[in-house]
Amino acid sequence: MRLASLGAVAALVGLGFTAPAQAAAVIPGVDEIVSSPNIRQIANVPKTGAFAPESALNSDLAFQGKYAYAGNYNGFTVYDVSNPAAPQAITQLVCPGGQNDLSIYGNLLFTATDSVRNNDSCSSVAVPNSEPETVPRWEGIRIWDISDPRNPQYVKSVHTTCGSHTLTLVPGKGKEKKKAVYVYVSSYNTSSSSLPNCALPHDKISIVKVPLKKPAEAAIAATPVLFEDGGFPGDSNSTATSGCHDITAYPEKDLAAGACMGDGVLFDISNPVAPKVVTTVRDAENFAFWHSATFNNNATKIVFTDELGGGGGATCNPTIGPDKGADAVYDIKGKGKKAKLVFQSYFKIPRENASTENCVAHNGSLIPVPGRDIIVQAWYQGGISVWDFTDSKKPKEIAYWERGPLSNERLIVGGAWSAYWYNGHIYSNDIQKGFDVLKIDDRRLGKAAKKKSWQINPQTQTSYSKW
């Protein structure tokens, strides 16, 4: 590390020291690791086999017990993380299909396919859009039985319009709570041309009902149109709304937050098969693409992310500035149908990245610190940032960790796709470098380091208020 040694700053960290931002002009060397003094890497498992190529991007994470499930464009890996300092890959399942965004419910694993395939099998091949519409096509979600994490079994696929870029789980309500789970399938079309299986307008989501005892009977239960007015029409700065990129559900609050391309959305999900738009917000000046969302624990705030440049551009630099490609913190004012989203502030990592580094706000989760709003978040090659938004108007970073660029010669898409808190550690799936485990030592996190098995799917939030 370039900063002072851990021993020299340990006392400051224990007192709640906030590490200074790295000087804007100082960019780490290729593969060099830099961080604030209160966070460190304790493990890395490189990509291997079919997941090793540069084109095989690591993606999202989900957790269950002592296992972490890590998506990759070519399938998924299961890690035993019972010893966070020495995670072991116990299964690598090859099944190509877009992002393979994933979530877990009980013994079921759900993966998202946003790549047009010639069938739903793991031996399928991609079908170019140029192929005639008569050519068989499939994209949507796959369901797996993970009763034995070392040997996942393919149960069922469900075809959905425009595929499944991401997916979100919402448990059934009332009598259905133990009988079914619903899968909110987010997908979109950024093209004005006619695409097979994804014609415009696409102002809806697909909702798949999965009977827990008979998951092979999973089927589409509803395809509600969310934007009857067509949503944001788009302009020179912001993407038009034609579906949602990601939805984060908070079932115990009957709420969901949608990042829907040109719109930030608050939903009422008291009826899981009929989500209702409560209110929407737009930011045509600074938000290019509403990408994801995270509630605070009390569901009084939402952090929305903007994926400027589609995640493939160098946007963490003085030319782009501090507001574009940033997070936006909104307070939820009012209750029920009268609730509104009120903008409070932007947050962007206070470090400059190289022109060969893709860097923008990406996936993160809360750290369970009662009484405070603290989030850990991935920023692609901007690394991993831990920041506090307890004061909505004055968010501040309290820790960071990052690698230097993958190359000084060309931009290689890489960096932390997702960074989540689980069982006292930060787990990250790096697009190129593999599976990372970090440990943060900061007294502001209180008892969070001792919290066990809190959140399985970051896109299906659960409360830690009673902890």
Side-chain angles (χ1 to χ4, degrees), residues 6 48 77 148 166 172 186 194 226 271 285 303 372 383 397 401:
L6 286 175
T48 60
T77 302
D148 178 2
T166 61
S186 295
S194 177
L226 304 178
N271 181 352
E285 180 179 357
V303 174
R372 301 201 68 80
E397 185 176 71
W401 183 94

Side-chain angles (χ1 to χ4, degrees), residues 157-306:
S157 74
V158 179
H159 172 272
T160 59
T161 304
C162 290
S164 176
H165 193 69
T166 61
L167 52 79
T168 304
L169 302 186
V170 179
K173 300 277 291 184
K175 295 180 179 179
E176 280 198 329
K177 190 171 184 179
K178 295 182 179 180
K179 296 181 179 180
V181 64
Y182 293 92
V183 185
Y184 284 18
V185 176
S186 295
S187 56
Y188 57 89
N189 182 355
T190 57
S191 171
S192 60
S193 62
S194 177
L195 297 177
N197 189 48
C198 196
L200 292 175
H202 180 74
D203 297 320
K204 62 185 180 182
I205 61 171
S206 297
I207 300 177
V208 178
K209 181 178 180 178
V210 184
L212 297 177
K213 292 184 178 180
K214 296 180 179 180
E217 295 181 3
I220 292 178
T223 54
V225 173
L226 304 178
F227 307 102
E228 295 182 358
D229 64 351
F232 183 65
D235 58 24
S236 59
N237 293 320
S238 303
T239 306
T241 299
S242 64
C244 291
H245 177 276
D246 207 349
I247 293 173
T248 293
Y250 203 157
E252 64 193 84
K253 305 289 188 181
D254 285 335
L255 294 173
C260 301
M261 305 176 70
D263 291 271
V265 187
L266 180 66
F267 295 105
D268 177 337
I269 58 168
S270 53
N271 181 352
V273 294
K276 296 179 180 179
V277 174
V278 176
T279 189
T280 63
V281 287
R282 295 169 181 170
D283 184 350
E285 180 179 357
N286 285 314
F287 258 49
F289 188 95
W290 297 72
H291 173 273
S292 55
T294 303
F295 288 97
N296 70 333
N297 189 58
N298 294 330
T300 57
K301 305 173 188 177
I302 302 175
V303 174
F304 285 104
T305 69
D306 173 23

Side-chain angles (χ1 to χ4, degrees), residues 15-46:
L15 293 173
F17 168 70
T18 299
Q22 187 180 2
V26 178
I27 297 173
V30 172
D31 282 346
E32 180 184 4
I33 291 177
V34 297
S35 72
S36 58
N38 54 351
I39 192 170
R40 69 189 191 279
Q41 180 189 50
I42 62 172
N44 169 260
V45 183

Side-chain angles (χ1 to χ4, degrees), residues 66-67 69 78 80 88-92 146-152:
K66 66 177 184 178
Y67 299 106
Y69 293 75
V78 185
D80 182 333
Q88 301 293 318
I90 62 169
T91 300
Q92 184 184 86
I146 52 171
S147 301
D148 178 2
R150 295 177 181 272
N151 187 28

Side-chain angles (χ1 to χ4, degrees), residues 368 421-424 447-454 464 466-467:
W421 179 271
Y422 185 68
N423 283 359
K447 297 179 181 179
K450 299 179 182 179
K451 183 66 177 174
K452 299 300 181 183
S453 300
W454 169 53
Y464 53 81
K466 296 180 181 180
W467 171 57

Side-chain angles (χ1 to χ4, degrees), residues 388-409:
D388 187 323
F389 63 105
T390 306
D391 183 341
S392 302
K393 293 183 179 296
K394 296 181 179 179
K396 59 182 180 181
E397 185 176 71
I398 62 176
Y400 75 90
W401 183 94
E402 70 167 308
R403 291 183 173 93
L406 292 165
S407 169
N408 284 329
E409 308 303 322

